[in-house]
Amino acid sequence: MTGDALTELRALKRAGIADSAERVPGLLRSLDDALDREAAGMLLGGRAVRTALAATGRYTPVALGLLASSTVDPLPHLLTAALLAEGVQPETGTTGFNQWRFEILSGAPNLKELAPAVTACLLDDTAVFEKVADPLDAAEVEARCAALPTELDAWLTAFEGAPGGVAVLNTLPLSALRRDRYVDYATKARVEAAWHRMNAGILDLAGRPNVVVLATDGLAARAGSAAATDRMRHIAGHAWSQEFLDAYAREVTRVVLARLGRARKCLVLDLDHTLWGGIVGDDGIPALKIGGSFPGSAHAELQALAKDLSRQGVLLTVCSKNDDAVAREAVATHPDMVLGPDDFSAFRANWDPKPGNAASIAAELNIGTDSMVFVDDNPAERGLMEAQRPEVAVVALPDDPAGYASAVARAGLFNQFALTDEDRVRGSLYRARAQRDELRQTAVSVEDYLRELASEITVEEYGTLNGARITQLFGKTNQFNLTGIRYGADEVARRVETGQAAFFGVRATDAFGDNGLVGALALVRETGGPDGDGDWAIENFVLSCRVFSRSIEQAVVGLVLRAARDAGASGVRGRHVPTAKNGRFADFYPSLGFTGQDGDFRHDLTQLAELPDWVAIGTGEGKFHAP
Amino acid sequence: MPLEATPNEPTEHDRDAAVAFVVEAVAQLLDVDEDTLALDAPLEAIEGWDSVNQLRILVFLERELGASLDYDRFTAAETLGELASLVADTEAAGART
C-alpha cells in the first residue's frame, strides 16, 4: 500500500511524537513519492503534533507566507514535509483563492501579523490570461505579457512595506492548451516570443534585494511536468502537477534554509568509484578511469562540478577508505584529475569509519557536521552516515556514474542568496589556516603563537562595498552569533539611513594573508531602562569561525568600549540570546568584565581592561560610533 | 451469490480485500483510527472529510490501483462500503484479460 515510512510516522504520532522526534527527519527523507510526502505533511501539520514537535526544541521555527494564482492545496503540506526533513518547522499563512495581488496591495491584512521570513507567490498563466479579453488577439496577449513584470515590480515594492522579508516569484509556464490553441505558426511564434520576454522581465526582478525568482522549467524538468493531469485540472481545478508542487516545495525549502543561514558549506567526497572509476589500492594509479570515454567522463564531470562549487565558496574535502599516501599520490599525479591537492581543505584517507572522519574534518575546519554534504557511491557507506550522523546531508547517488554530477547539482544544498568576493576565495583562506595550525603545533605557547601570527584588525564602516558581505555574515554565522539576529540587506540600509543603528565590518589580516571581512557588528543607542540613557548597546556581534581563539573578539569589544567612553557614553550593553549553535559563547561578555545575568550584560566605562597586545589595530577608515 | 464468480465479478475475497484497502487509505490520509471507521456510516461523518480531502483520497486510491475510478460513482458514494464496492468492481474489471 503506502510507504512503510508513512505508516511508521503515523504510528509515532499515535504513540506521542515527542519521544521519537529525532526520527522524523530521516523518515521524511525516505519518502520519495509526492502523494506520500503530502500525506506525511498533513499528518505532522496538525495542531497537537506541531506543539509536541516544537516542544522538543529540535526544530527551528519559521513563518512562511504562501500566495498563489490557482489552487495549491497540497503545497502547505509538501512544504511541511520538506522543511521538517531539514529540521525546520514552518507555520504557514495564506489568503483566499487568487488573492495574491490584493493581499499585498492592500497592506497584507492576513500575513502582516505572521511576519513571514519568506513568502512564496506561485503564479501560473492565469495571472496573464485573467486580464486578456480575447486570447486569440495576439496584440492583446503581447501587451498583457509586457505589463506583468512592471506590475510585479510594483507588487514587490508594496511587499517590502508589508509583510516584508524574502519574496519568491517564478517564471510562468505557458500551458499546452493555451499554446496549442493557435493554428498559424506566425501567431504561435509571436505569442511565444512575448511570453519569453515576459519571463525574462520577471527573472530580472531577482536583481532586487530579498527577491528570489525560480525558473519553472528547471523545476518542471525535475518533476516530469509542471501541469496537472487533464483529469485533475477538471476534477480539482489544479493547474500544477503534484510532482511539480513537490519540486517547488523542496526548492522553497532551499531558499528558507539560505535565509536561516543554514545553507551547507562543505562537500565530503569519496574517491574510489566516486571521484574516479576503479579502486586505486587494487588497480593502481594508471588504471583509474577519469575523463576520456564513459565511465571516466562521468567521474571527470563530477570533479568539474566540485571544482565549480569550490570556486563559489564550497569547501571540498576527501573522506576515503585508502592508504593515505596512495590516495594523495593519485590525486597529485594522475594526469586527468580535474581537482588537485590544492582544491581540498581537508583530506582523510584511512580505514576508520567515515562518520567519525566526517566529524574530525568538521572539527579541523571549525564548521558543524550539519553544514556537510556527503557523496559516496557505496550505499552501505551512505546508510552508515545517515544512521550515525543524520545531520550530514547524504546525496542519493544513482547506481550509474553517468548521473552522479546531476544528482549532486540537483540537490541544491549549497544554494544561497548572493555570493561575495569572500566566497570565491574561501578555499584558499582555509588552506592558509591549515598553515596557521601547523604554526600552532610548533609554537611554544599560545601567546607565542598569537604573536607570530601577527593578527591585525581594521574596523570598517558599513558602505556600498562591504554591505553585501556584512549582511551575509549576519545571515550565515551560527556559532559566534551572540543574539541570533539576522538582517536583510534593505533593512540594514534603511536603519543606517534613518539613524536607528550603525553597522560595521571587521577585517582581519595575519602573517599568512588577508582573511577578508570576518566580523560584523550592529550598534544602537539604548533608550529606557533605569540607567539606560546614555548607554550604547551591541545589538548583535558575529564573527567567522575561521578566526576564533585569536583574541580578535576581545579586541573588537575592547574597541567598542573605548569608543563609547571617548564619546561620553555611560556604559555598553551586550546580550547573549541562546540559539541552537551559540551556547559556547554564553559567557563571552562576562569573560570581558561585563556584569549582569540571564544573557543581559552591561559594562560601565570607569575601568577598561588592556587590549590584547598581540592583535594590532589597523588605522583604516573606521572607528566604532553609535548611530 | 454464485459459488464461482464470473471473471468480471469480484469474489467475496476480493470484496474483503477492497474493504480493508479503502479503510486503510482513509485512515492513513485523514489520520483517524481504523477501528472507528464503520462501513455503513456516512462519509460526511468522518473527521476531516471535506471536498479537498475527498479528492486526495480519490488520487490516492487511483495511484494504488493503477487505474481510474468512475468519477460519478466515486462522488455519489455515501459510505465506505460503497467506496469499497467501487474499488472491487474496478479491480475486477481491470483483471479481465
Side-chain angles (χ1 to χ4, degrees):
Chain A
M1 169 109 197
T2 56
D4 292 342
L6 190 58
T7 310
E8 198 167 340
L9 278 169
R10 194 161 156 245
L12 291 186
K13 177 178 170 177
R14 311 233 131 210
I17 205 141
D19 304 329
S20 42
E22 75 284 355
R23 298 187 43 211
V24 170
L27 286 168
L28 286 170
R29 281 195 288 262
S30 66
L31 292 170
D32 49 14
D33 182 278
L35 282 172
D36 288 341
R37 291 163 62 81
E38 180 190 2
M42 281 175 76
L43 203 64
L44 299 171
R47 185 165 309 171
V49 187
R50 290 175 51 84
T51 309
L53 284 177
T56 63
R58 292 178 161 274
Y59 296 89
T60 308
V62 70
L64 297 184
L66 216 48
L67 303 170
S69 57
S70 65
T71 306
V72 289
D73 303 318
L75 194 49
H77 306 301
L78 290 166
L79 270 166
T80 297
L83 280 159
L84 283 176
E86 300 290 341
V88 177
Q89 187 176 39
E91 182 183 355
T92 46
T94 183
T95 60
F97 174 73
N98 202 12
Q99 295 284 298
W100 63 274
R101 196 183 277 111
F102 179 75
E103 169 72 16
I104 299 306
L105 298 183
S106 63
N110 292 291
L111 292 182
K112 203 156 70 180
E113 194 150 326
L114 180 67
V118 175
T119 296
C121 180
L122 179 58
L123 301 181
D124 62 315
D125 65 12
T126 314
V128 174
F129 287 103
E130 70 186 357
K131 295 193 172 180
V132 173
D134 179 6
L136 291 187
D137 179 349
E140 192 190 352
V141 176
E142 263 176 345
R144 177 70 199 126
C145 284
L148 189 63
T150 316
E151 268 175 39
L152 289 175
D153 194 46
W155 183 92
L156 285 167
T157 302
F159 178 92
E160 280 172 10
V166 174
V168 182
L169 294 173
N170 59 287
T171 57
L172 278 50
L174 180 60
S175 64
L177 207 54
R178 292 275 176 203
R179 166 182 287 138
D180 299 338
R181 182 158 301 237
Y182 305 102
V183 296
D184 68 300
Y185 285 109
T187 306
K188 283 180 198 278
R190 189 176 162 188
V191 168
E192 202 76 52
W195 202 264
H196 279 279
R197 278 192 293 270
M198 172 186 78
N199 276 331
I202 295 173
L203 286 162
D204 286 340
L205 297 171
R208 297 180 61 128
N210 289 324
V211 175
V212 172
V213 183
L214 301 178
T216 310
D217 45 11
L219 295 173
R222 231 177 274 179
S225 157
T229 61
D230 293 329
R231 186 171 163 81
M232 285 314 284
R233 192 161 44 79
H234 283 282
I235 288 178
H238 284 184
W240 305 100
S241 72
Q242 178 85 5
E243 291 70 25
F244 175 87
L245 290 178
D246 188 45
Y248 178 79
R250 292 185 197 219
E251 196 63 49
V252 171
T253 294
R254 305 276 165 244
V255 175
V256 171
L257 291 172
R259 174 67 184 79
L260 294 175
R262 303 256 306 255
R264 310 240 165 195
K265 300 170 184 162
C266 173
L267 193 53
V268 182
L269 295 155
D270 169 51
L271 295 175
D272 292 328
H273 290 313
T274 301
L275 279 194
W276 53 60
I279 298 175
V280 67
D282 296 349
D283 311 336
I285 295 172
L288 296 180
K289 300 188 187 78
I290 311 169
S293 59
F294 181 77
S297 58
H299 297 289
E301 186 178 59
L302 178 63
Q303 288 199 28
L305 172 71
K307 180 102 180 174
D308 279 351
L309 290 173
S310 90
R311 290 174 55 212
Q312 298 170 86
V314 174
L315 299 171
L316 303 185
T317 64
V318 164
C319 182
S320 158
K321 287 203 166 147
N322 260 310
D323 286 333
D324 184 73
V326 175
R328 284 179 191 268
E329 190 188 350
V331 169
T333 63
H334 193 291
D336 298 318
M337 281 288 295
V338 180
L339 296 166
D342 285 352
D343 289 308
F344 296 107
S345 300
F347 202 98
R348 294 285 184 285
N350 57 36
W351 303 97
D352 299 337
K354 293 195 178 190
N357 275 330
S360 104
I361 291 172
E364 178 183 335
L365 299 179
N366 212 352
I367 58 176
T369 43
D370 61 356
S371 65
M372 294 179 138
V373 176
F374 180 57
V375 177
D376 194 315
D377 70 292
N378 184 336
E381 294 289 5
R382 299 202 298 262
L384 187 67
M385 189 68 78
E386 278 169 345
Q388 297 200 352
R389 290 269 161 197
E391 71 280 10
V392 174
V394 176
V395 179
L397 288 188
D399 293 339
D400 184 348
Y404 285 2
S406 298
V408 174
R410 193 173 48 230
L413 291 158
F414 302 108
N415 292 2
Q416 50 171 303
F417 285 105
L419 290 187
T420 60
D421 293 344
E422 198 91 356
D423 291 312
R424 298 189 177 91
V425 295
R426 179 167 300 118
S428 57
L429 293 171
Y430 272 84
R431 280 189 295 285
R433 212 184 59 200
Q435 295 168 324
R436 288 182 200 108
D437 287 348
E438 253 166 71
L439 166 66
R440 177 175 304 157
Q441 280 151 11
T442 54
V444 184
S445 71
V446 170
E447 206 164 304
D448 283 346
Y449 158 71
L450 290 171
R451 278 183 209 291
E452 282 187 53
L453 194 53
S455 298
E456 178 174 308
I457 60 170
T458 312
V459 176
E460 291 185 6
E461 180 103 24
Y462 163 86
T464 46
L465 288 176
N466 60 13
R469 175 63 181 158
I470 287 177
T471 306
Q472 188 193 51
L473 274 165
F474 281 119
K476 285 180 69 173
T477 309
N478 296 313
Q479 297 176 76
F480 194 103
N481 182 334
L482 298 177
T483 57
I485 300 174
R486 307 189 191 274
Y487 305 92
D490 51 345
E491 187 183 357
V492 173
R494 195 182 61 242
R495 292 183 70 205
V496 168
E497 202 166 319
T498 54
Q500 294 171 316
F503 287 86
F504 302 89
V506 177
R507 183 172 294 278
T509 59
D510 62 38
F512 295 100
D514 186 349
N515 290 279
L517 219 56
V518 294
L521 198 117
L523 283 177
V524 295
R525 285 188 191 274
E526 190 73 43
T527 48
D531 49 1
D533 272 357
D535 277 0
W536 290 11
I538 301 173
E539 189 177 74
N540 200 6
F541 173 22
V542 298
L543 190 70
S544 163
C545 50
R546 295 203 309 266
V547 297
F548 286 178
S549 319
R550 293 163 57 171
S551 310
I552 287 178
E553 52 274 49
Q554 288 88 326
V556 169
V557 172
L559 288 175
V560 173
L561 294 173
R562 278 164 176 69
R565 185 189 58 192
D566 297 349
S570 47
V572 173
R573 290 167 173 273
R575 298 179 64 218
H576 178 272
V577 179
T579 65
K581 289 280 188 76
N582 71 359
R584 266 173 81 176
F585 301 101
D587 293 326
F588 171 67
Y589 283 118
S591 74
L592 301 181
F594 282 67
T595 55
Q597 55 193 358
D598 299 333
D600 218 339
F601 307 105
R602 181 174 187 269
H603 199 305
D604 67 31
L605 302 171
T606 46
Q607 267 201 315
L608 301 185
E610 290 294 312
L611 291 173
D613 67 353
W614 46 83
V615 177
I617 310 301
T619 48
E621 57 213 89
K623 183 170 157 67
F624 288 117
H625 62 79
Chain B
M1 191 74 212
L3 279 179
E4 250 185 70
T6 50
N8 58 350
E9 281 287 321
T11 63
E12 199 63 37
H13 177 268
D14 291 340
R15 290 193 180 281
D16 289 347
V19 167
F21 170 70
V22 167
V23 166
E24 192 188 342
V26 171
Q28 186 82 273
L29 278 177
L30 302 186
D31 191 30
V32 292
D33 212 327
E34 292 184 24
D35 303 341
T36 65
L37 293 174
L39 284 188
D40 54 356
L43 292 170
E44 304 279 346
I46 300 172
E47 195 186 340
W49 186 272
D50 59 22
S51 60
V52 172
N53 280 334
Q54 181 187 20
L55 288 174
R56 281 199 174 101
I57 285 161
L58 173 70
V59 173
F60 201 78
L61 293 176
E62 290 186 345
R63 178 188 68 169
E64 297 298 323
L65 291 172
S68 291
L69 293 170
D70 182 305
Y71 185 69
D72 285 344
R73 254 185 89 181
F74 177 82
T75 49
E78 290 177 358
T79 64
L80 281 178
E82 288 172 45
L83 275 189
S85 302
L86 170 58
V87 166
D89 292 344
T90 308
E91 285 203 281
R96 258 181 306 166
T97 42

